[in-house]
């Protein structure tokens, strides 16, 4: 399992917020991050994560409208075209900063990518299954990748048989209209379940964000609570991924 105490880096529960303030290399003014608000010069890129880049706490509930405004505002100052008449060194910084800005924005504005990114920062390896799924796999001796979420077990069993039958029919050129309708119905049901997972993820986000707030207010965050919050997110993401794959399979059969 990925969420273990051993491979955890120091938890970014505490707000790191704005990157460290240093003097502008050009005019000596105290600069804002990324570019100087006095002389407008691009500053050397700092090796920071995407949350720090935007001066954000490590929270998952995020106002994407504000993030978007911040992105466009920074783009205007960091864009290589704007810094085209600068020295080669500044042009290089501008390129690097812009590229970091684009990556950070693309990742943070998307709810799934944002969650996966935070989990990766926390040392969680997402290609693995959640703790419970891994334990189930060990117990049953099945391959980890094929662990079926418990709430889908029965349905997946039947669905696999139906899909197998539909594939056979297709091969023989003997389509079964009622089977097809059943599969379409199942697809609708699975899609609704998939969409409903955003609500589950939201609940997990709230749980995590509460820990971040607690730490930011000087509270003591228990390691167990932290791991539990992570595991909940991993679990939702894994089940969502499983459903996505399943939907793709059904789609293929129905084509
Ligand atoms: Zn300056």
């Amino acid at each position: 399992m990925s969420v273990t105490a051993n491979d955890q880096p120091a938890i970014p529960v505490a707000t790191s917020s704005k990157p460290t303030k240093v003097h502008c290399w050009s005019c000596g003014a105290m600069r804002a991050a990324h570019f100087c608000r006095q002389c407008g010069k691009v500053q050397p890129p700092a090796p920071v994560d995407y949350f720090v880049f935007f001066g954000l706490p490590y929270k998952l509930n995020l106002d994407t409208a504000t993030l978007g405004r911040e992105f466009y505002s920074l783009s205007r100052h960091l864009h290589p075209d704007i810094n085209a008449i600068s020295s080669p060194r500044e042009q290089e910084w501008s390129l690097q900063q812009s590229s970091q800005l684009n990556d950070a924005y693309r990742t943070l504005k998307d709810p799934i990518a944002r969650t996966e990114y935070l989990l990766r920062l926390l040392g969680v390896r997402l290609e693995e299954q959640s703790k419970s799924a891994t334990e189930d796999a060990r117990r049953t001796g099945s391959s980890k990748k094929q662990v079926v979420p418990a709430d889908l077990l029965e349905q997946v069993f039947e669905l696999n048989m139906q899909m197998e039958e539909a594939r056979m029919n297709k091969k023989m050129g003997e389509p079964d209209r009622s089977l097809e309708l059943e599969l379409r119905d199942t697809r609708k049901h699975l899609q609704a379940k998939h969409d409903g997972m955003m609500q589950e993820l939201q609940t997990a986000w709230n749980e995590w964000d509460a820990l971040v707030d607690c730490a930011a207010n000087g509270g003591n965050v228990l390691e167990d609570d932290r791991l539990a919050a992570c595991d909940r997110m991993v679990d939702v993401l894994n089940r969502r991924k499983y459903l996505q794959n399943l939907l793709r399979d059904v789609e293929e059969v129905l084509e």
Side-chain angles (χ1 to χ4, degrees), residues 77-212:
H77 293 280
L78 300 177
H79 201 281
D81 287 353
I82 292 158
N83 295 288
I85 48 159
S86 312
S87 69
R89 184 179 66 161
E90 289 166 71
Q91 284 174 41
E92 182 57 32
W93 289 344
S94 170
L95 273 172
Q96 289 171 7
Q97 290 260 31
S98 290
S99 142
Q100 201 179 2
L101 171 68
N102 289 330
D103 290 346
Y105 180 57
R106 205 174 28 238
T107 303
L108 292 188
K109 76 172 176 184
D110 179 78
I112 302 298
R114 185 193 316 149
T115 311
E116 288 177 344
Y117 180 71
L118 180 82
L119 287 168
R120 271 201 303 276
L121 281 183
L122 293 167
V124 178
R125 290 182 297 274
L126 276 167
E127 62 277 14
E128 293 184 27
Q129 297 273 356
S130 70
K131 194 173 191 166
S132 54
T134 305
E135 279 163 2
D136 285 349
R138 261 192 221 120
R139 205 171 42 241
T140 58
S142 59
S143 157
K144 236 196 313 195
K145 292 277 172 213
Q146 277 153 22
V147 171
V148 184
D151 58 335
L152 286 174
L153 210 55
E154 213 171 308
Q155 200 171 14
V156 165
F157 182 73
E158 198 186 330
L159 180 60
N160 278 331
M161 295 211 302
Q162 286 177 331
M163 285 198 291
E164 198 48 50
E165 198 184 331
R167 283 192 197 100
M168 281 297 269
N169 293 342
K170 215 159 135 185
K171 217 153 87 184
M172 313 285 282
E174 293 167 2
D176 179 338
R177 184 80 186 124
S178 73
L179 179 63
E180 210 173 281
L181 284 175
E182 254 183 272
L183 279 171
R184 281 185 199 285
D185 195 51
T186 307
R187 177 178 60 179
K188 215 165 93 185
H189 177 80
L190 291 177
Q191 188 64 54
K193 211 174 176 81
H194 174 267
D195 298 345
M197 282 187 163
M198 281 314 290
Q199 195 50 53
E200 268 192 78
L201 192 60
Q202 177 69 57
T203 307
W205 280 3
N206 294 345
E207 200 178 11
W208 171 263
D209 287 2
L211 295 180
V212 177

Side-chain angles (χ1 to χ4, degrees), residues 16 40 116 187 240 242:
S16 130
E116 288 177 344
R187 177 178 60 179
R240 189 176 175 277
Y242 184 90

Side-chain angles (χ1 to χ4, degrees), residues 24-29 36-41 43:
C24 168
W25 63 270
S26 178
C27 75
C36 176
R37 289 184 190 275
Q38 289 293 322
C39 68
K41 291 279 191 188
Q43 304 296 308

Side-chain angles (χ1 to χ4, degrees), residues 3 207 223-233:
V3 187
E207 200 178 11
E223 179 73 359
D224 279 356
D225 290 344
R226 200 167 69 75
L227 292 177
C230 280
D231 208 27
R232 206 112 48 215
M233 286 189 274

